[in-house]
Amino acid sequence: GESVGLHLPTLSVQEGDNSIINCAYSNSASDYFIWYKQESGKGPQFIIDIRSNMDKRQGQRVTVLLNKTVKHLSLQIAATQPGDSAVYFCAENIRGYQKVTFGTGTKLQVIP
Amino acid sequence: DVKVTQSSRYLVKRTGEKVFLECVQDMDHENMFWYRQDPGLGLRLIYFSYDVKMKEKGDIPEGYSVSREKKERFSLILESASTNQTSMYLCASQQVDGNTGELFFGEGSRLTVL
């Protein structure tokens, strides 16, 4: 069936380094993708989104890259900080449809 | 800021009990969702609602029902709780035709069924 999955369940990064979190999706009809951050004891929070007509989008210290050819999504965090420690989820959606499908999540651990 | 409030952060129930999980959002969003979150499985959609009294099954609706009598409130009901329903339950709301398709989540309700 259609699914969204992550390659790395846990990622440990030295403070100050860049982090890259990867996500594979299989629904070729998906045209909208979102990254969420979930801190311990909290609900997921929106980080950044990208539509399928783009291949890159930048925010504050974060960049999302979309490769539709290989159905791959990545989240890059520049100069990773201890406050970035969290679980990160990618999610896919078809615009105009309510259902949002989430990946299994990647835990990012920042080493001080 | 959008606020999604889940009435109970932690619940402990016994097998066979009826369980109500309440969720309220304050931004007049049309869409509301219930997910459950389990380690290694991510977030799985149980039910969603796109309008008052309207509901649609998600990926794992078995053993659950929902109610949306008012736009701001979306309730998840476990008619007869079972141990395999021990999980973290997350409610979310979403604005139709917003600038993004962002889901706004509550802080979750951790349910333990003994």
Side-chain angles (χ1 to χ4, degrees):
Chain A
E2 300 292 358
S3 66
V4 176
L6 294 179
H7 297 162
L8 296 173
T10 304
L11 178 65
S12 295
V13 176
Q14 202 73 34
E15 181 178 356
D17 287 351
N18 297 335
S19 303
I20 300 176
I21 301 171
N22 296 302
C23 175
Y25 67 95
S26 58
N27 187 349
S28 57
S30 294
D31 58 6
Y32 181 63
F33 305 88
I34 304 179
W35 281 99
Y36 288 88
K37 173 187 180 182
Q38 186 178 27
E39 297 177 343
S40 180
K42 297 185 178 180
Q45 288 187 301
F46 173 94
I47 302 173
I48 191 167
D49 62 352
I50 189 167
R51 292 183 171 82
S52 59
N53 61 352
M54 305 170 68
D55 54 18
K56 180 179 180 179
R57 191 163 189 223
Q58 287 185 292
Q60 187 178 10
R61 277 200 312 118
V62 295
T63 301
V64 56
L65 299 177
L66 175 63
N67 185 331
K68 295 181 289 292
T69 302
V70 295
K71 297 190 182 73
H72 186 267
L73 194 68
S74 69
L75 177 71
Q76 299 179 2
I77 304 173
T80 310
Q81 302 170 0
D84 295 326
S85 293
V87 177
Y88 290 81
F89 293 95
C90 64
E92 63 176 313
N93 176 234
I94 301 172
R95 290 288 276 177
Y97 291 90
Q98 292 87 355
K99 185 178 177 181
V100 177
T101 301
F102 284 80
T104 54
T106 292
K107 183 176 183 179
L108 177 64
Q109 295 177 322
V110 181
I111 304 166
Chain B
D1 286 345
V2 174
K3 189 167 180 66
V4 178
T5 303
Q6 295 184 228
S7 56
S8 302
R9 291 296 305 274
Y10 301 95
L11 304 92
V12 179
K13 298 292 183 180
R14 296 204 175 273
T15 300
E17 283 192 89
K18 191 170 186 176
V19 181
F20 291 89
L21 299 179
E22 304 284 341
C23 175
V24 177
Q25 50 98 0
D26 65 358
M27 282 300 292
D28 203 38
H29 285 173
E30 290 84 358
N31 296 340
M32 296 189 74
F33 304 79
W34 275 106
Y35 287 87
R36 65 176 282 177
Q37 181 176 15
D38 301 288
L41 296 177
L43 280 70
R44 292 179 292 166
L45 182 63
I46 304 171
Y47 268 97
F48 65 94
S49 170
Y50 52 89
D51 202 351
V52 174
K53 296 189 184 297
M54 306 303 290
K55 61 184 179 183
E56 293 284 344
K57 293 180 179 179
D59 297 317
I60 52 165
E62 295 79 18
Y64 303 94
S65 61
V66 290
S67 173
R68 190 151 181 217
E69 295 297 317
K70 294 184 178 181
K71 190 174 185 179
E72 68 271 18
R73 187 178 298 269
F74 192 36
S75 302
L76 181 69
I77 303 153
L78 289 66
E79 292 289 342
S80 178
S82 62
T83 55
N84 64 10
Q85 293 178 309
T86 292
S87 187
M88 170 68 83
Y89 291 88
L90 290 164
C91 175
S93 71
Q94 181 189 49
Q95 181 181 358
V96 174
D97 297 329
N99 290 331
T100 73
E102 176 183 1
L103 296 177
F104 294 87
F105 284 90
E107 296 205 320
S109 299
R110 183 166 293 281
L111 172 66
T112 301
V113 183
L114 302 175

